[in-house]
Each structure stands twice: as C-alpha cells, then as structure tokens.
Amino acid sequence: MKKRSMTLILGSAFFGMIVLVEGQMIVEHVFSYTVPVSVFITVGGGIYFLYLLLTNRRV
C-alpha cells in the first residue's frame, strides 16, 4: 500500500472517531438525551438505503 493511501485511511479513521465522540458529547450534554449517536446514524442510514432502493430501479 502506498504511503498516501495509508495516510488517507488513518486520517479518515481518526476524523470519524473525533466526529462520533463529539456527536455523542453534544447529544448527551447539550440536548440531554440518553440515546446513543449510533441510533441516529442507523436511522439516517436506513432512510438513505430505502431511498436508494426505491429510486434506482435498474436491473
């Protein structure tokens, strides 16, 4: 694997971790919810997946 690819993979993994931790802190402290951020991500991903299934009818 090239050095550029490794840098991009590590950078995006680090960025993803930071976004998830900050999102969890915002949900817990600012909005006072006890629901984990993963629930919001799953619901959003499910809605997007259904959108893709219903709009792409190419077989």
Side-chain angles (χ1 to χ4, degrees):
M1 196 181 294
K2 293 186 177 184
K3 185 177 180 180
R4 178 175 160 88
S5 298
M6 185 62 92
T7 304
L8 285 173
I9 290 171
L10 290 174
S12 50
F14 184 66
F15 180 74
M17 286 188 294
I18 289 173
V19 168
L20 283 176
V21 169
E22 287 181 2
Q24 183 68 35
M25 291 171 68
I26 289 171
V27 166
E28 287 180 358
H29 298 291
V30 175
F31 297 118
S32 299
Y33 293 138
T34 57
V35 179
V37 172
S38 61
V39 172
F40 295 114
I41 294 171
T42 303
V43 170
I47 291 171
Y48 182 63
F49 180 69
L50 288 175
Y51 166 76
L52 289 176
L53 282 177
L54 295 174
T55 57
N56 293 333
R57 294 286 179 162
R58 288 183 264 168
V59 176

